[in-house]
Amino acid sequence: MNSAISTERQGNVLIIVSDNPPVNALGQAVREGLQKGIEEAASDDSIEAIVIRCEGRTFFAGADITEFGKAPKGPSLPEVCDAIEASDKPVVAAIHGTALGGGCEVALACHYRVAVPSAKIGLPEVKLGLIPGAAGTQRLPRLVGAEAALPIVVIGDPISAKKAEHIGLLDKLVGENSLAEDAVEFVKRKIGQPVPRTSHGTANEDGVKDPQIFDNFRAKNGRKLRGFDAPNAAIEAVKAAGEMSFEDGVKKERELFTKLMTGTQSAAMRHYFFAERAANKIDDVPADTPLIPIKTVGIIGAGTMGGGIAMNFLSAGIKTVILEMKQEALDRGLGVIRKNYENTAKRGRMTTEQVEDAMGLLSGTLDYADLADCDLVIEAVYENMDVKKEVFAKLDSVVKQGAILASNTSYLNIDEIATATKRPEYVLGLHFFSPANIMKLLEIVRGDKTRDDVLATSMKLAKRIGKIAAVSGVCPGFIGNRMLSPRQQQANLLIMEGANYWDVDDVLLDFGFPMGPFQMGDLAGIDIGWHRDPSKVTTVREALCSVGRFGQKAGKGFYDYDEARNRTPSDEVKKIISDFAEKEGHKQRDISKEEIKERLLYPMVNEGAKILDEKMAQRASDIDVVWINGYGWPLYTGGPMFWADTVGLDNIVAGLEKHKLPVSDYLRKKAEAGEKFTR
Ligand code: 3H9
C-alpha cells in the first residue's frame, strides 16, 4: 500500500496494519494508507469486515505534531475518520499501547473498539494547547455522555482500558497477547448486523438535561486550568455536542481548533513537548552508552529534602538506605516518610499494601559503612562547602568503586566537592526541588570530569523515578537558581523604590506563576536563617522578624492572614518598607505594573542568555524545561526563552536599557541579528 500501511487478508476480514515507528503518528502517509485500505475493503465483495491495528509499541499516538504549522497534505484526518465511519462493513480498532489524540479519534470513528488491558486511551490535545480536531469532541460525548467525556477532553489525561470499557468507550477487553486474532474474531461476529456510528448517536442527553455539569466542571477545575485557553474551548466543544447536530458540532470544533492552532499558547506548548524530549538527550554522550545498574541508593540526611528524595526511589521499587548523624533525627525522618505514604493512602492514591512495600525497601543507619554497597549515594546535608567535602571524603573511603556519588546542592561548585574524592569522574550534582517527592524537575549537574556513563545512568534513572531531567554545567545556582537570583534582586529593589510588594506578587500571579516572591517568603517562613536578635535590623526581612512577622505560620509576614490563610496587604509592612528605604537612601515613587513585569522577567532572560553563551545549558529549550518544572513558569508561555522570542529579543534589550539594567553581549548580538533563542 505504502511504506507505513499494509493490508492483509484473513478469510473475509481485511486487516489494515500501520507500521510507522516510533509511535505510529498519523502523518500523511498513514492517513493516505488508511483511506486506501478502507477503499480496498469497500471495492472487494469478498471482504465483509475490517480490523485496524498497529505494529510496534503502540496504536496511533496522535496526529503527527511535526506536521503542524506546515502546508496540509491530504487526506486530512477528519476525512479519513469520516471514510472509516462511512464503511458499510463493520470496522474494529484493535488497540494496544496508547491510543491518543488523533489515534483515539480514529478509534472513535471505527464502529467497534477492542483493546488489551494494558492499553491507555485519551485525548491529550489540551496539553498541546489544542482541542481534538478530527471530531473527537463530537463523537466521544455521543458515545459515552458529556459527563464522562469532559475530563477526557478538557483535562487530557489518558484513561486505562478498564475504565474505558466501564464508560462504554471500549466494547471489549481482549487477551494481552492475542489482540490481532481476538479483534478478527470479534469483528466476524458483527458481520450482517447494522453498524453503530458514533456520529449518529442521539445528541448528548446529559448536556441538555443538566447544563450545570459544564459550570460545575469549570468550578471544580478552575485552579488547574487558570490561564490556559484550550480547556475552555474544549468545554465549549463538548457542550456543542449536546446542543447541535453532528455536522454543526464538527464545524464548531474546527473553528475552535483553528483558533487555538494559530495562537501563541499552542505554539508554546508544542515547543515544550519537544523541549522536554530534547532535554533528555546529551549532545556529546552517545545514546547507547552502557548504563551502571542501580539497585540500591543511599541518601545522606533524613531531613525534609533527604526524606523527599528517598521517597522517589522507594516509590519506584528501589532499595534505599538513609544515613543520619543521630538516632533521634533518623527516627524522625523515617517516621515522616511513613506518615507521608500513609496520608497518600488515606487519600486513596496508594493501597496500604503499596505503603508497606515502599517502607519495606527502606532502612536507616548511623554508620557510613552501611552505604558501602550502594550503587548511588545522594548527599542532602547542610549547604556548606566544608560540610559537603567532609561527607564526600567519607563516602570516597567507604562506598564501593564504580558507584555514583551525587550532591543535592542547589548552588555549590560540584567540581570543588569532587576534589574531596579520588574519583571525581563518578561525582555529579542531582539537584531535586522541594518537595522532592512531588516536584517534577531534576537538574543534573555535569562536573568537569563526570563520566558519560554516570551522566547517562542519571538521565535514565530520572525517568525511572518519574522526573523530568535537564543537564546544567557547573556555575553558581546552576540554571534555575542562577536565573532566580536577578529576579529576586529586582523584586527587593522594586519595593525599595516604591513598588507595592503585593503588586510585585500580583504581576507574577497574573503572568501565570503560582505565587510571587513575597508570598513565597511568607510560606517558607521569613525567619529562615534569622539571627534572632530583634535589635539588629539590616534587611527588610530582619525588620519583619523583629516585630514577629515570621510569615504564614505566625498569621502575619509580608501579608496579614486570616484563618483560611487568605492574604491581605499590611499597612504596617508598607511602612516598615518605606522607613527602611528612607534609611537606605532610596527615593520612593509610583511604579507601574508594566515596569515591575519588565524588571522582574527581562533580567532572567538576560541571565538565560549568559547561561547559553557560557554553554552551561545545552540548548535554550532546556532552560524552559527547568523553569516550567522547577519554578512554576507558566507552561502556556513556553518557558522564559520561548517567551522572550515571542516578546522579541529587540524588545527585551530595549526594555533592559530603559531600566538601566545590564544587557549581555550574547543577547544583544542575537537581538541585532534578528535571531531567536528557540525555533
Ligand atoms: C492530535 O492528535 C490532533 C488531532 O486531534 C487533530 C488533527 C487534525 N507526533 O514521548 P516519547 C515522538 S495532537 C510526532 O519519548 P514515550 C517524540 O517526539 C497529538 N512525534 O516516548 C519522540 O521523538 P524523539 C495528540 C511524536 O514512550 C518519540 O516519538 N497526541 C508524537 O515516553 C518517542 O516519544 C499526543 O499528544 C506525535 N504525536 O511516550 C501524544 N508523539 O525520539 C504525544 C511522540 O525524536 N505523545 N512523538 O525524541 C506522547 O504522549 C508520548 O510520545 C507517548 C510515548 C505516550 C505516545
Side-chain angles (χ1 to χ4, degrees), residues 298-302 322-325 367-369 371 376-399 404-409 412 416-423 427-428:
I299 313 275
I300 302 188
I322 297 197
L323 178 133
E324 251 301 344
M325 294 297 104
D367 185 356
Y368 268 84
L371 301 178
L376 160 70
V377 182
I378 305 171
E379 138 315 280
V381 301
Y382 185 59
E383 283 283 81
N384 173 292
M385 182 54 89
D386 293 337
V387 177
K388 302 251 180 207
K389 277 181 157 172
E390 208 182 301
V391 167
F392 271 76
K394 273 198 199 131
L395 287 177
D396 194 33
S397 67
V398 297
V399 181
I404 301 176
L405 307 181
S407 171
N408 177 52
T409 180
L412 293 175
E416 190 180 338
I417 294 176
T419 59
T421 73
K422 287 188 213 67
R423 41 174 142 165
V427 175
L428 87 171

Side-chain angles (χ1 to χ4, degrees), residues 571-643:
D571 288 339
E572 184 188 24
V573 175
K574 183 72 188 157
K575 173 101 179 36
I576 289 174
I577 293 172
S578 57
D579 287 352
F580 195 83
E582 198 183 321
K583 202 173 92 191
E584 295 276 296
H586 287 286
K587 259 215 183 108
Q588 296 223 311
R589 63 182 167 93
D590 285 343
I591 298 186
S592 71
K593 285 197 165 183
E594 195 53 32
E595 175 174 343
I596 294 175
K597 182 173 160 184
E598 291 176 358
R599 285 179 56 185
L600 291 177
L601 301 183
Y602 290 5
M604 295 180 65
V605 173
N606 188 55
E607 201 62 41
K610 281 159 65 184
I611 287 173
L612 282 176
D613 191 25
E614 293 165 25
K615 306 211 174 348
M616 290 296 141
Q618 297 188 88
R619 40 188 100 82
S621 61
D622 284 9
I623 298 178
D624 292 336
V625 169
V626 166
W627 266 82
I628 285 171
N629 293 293
Y631 299 81
W633 185 289
L635 169 62
Y636 52 75
T637 68
M641 307 316 270
F642 184 87
W643 174 75

Side-chain angles (χ1 to χ4, degrees), residues 649-650 653 665-677:
L649 300 191
D650 48 350
V653 170
D665 288 346
Y666 186 80
L667 174 59
R668 191 182 297 284
K669 269 191 211 144
K670 272 212 153 316
E672 278 169 7
E675 286 174 6
K676 291 182 169 195
F677 288 124

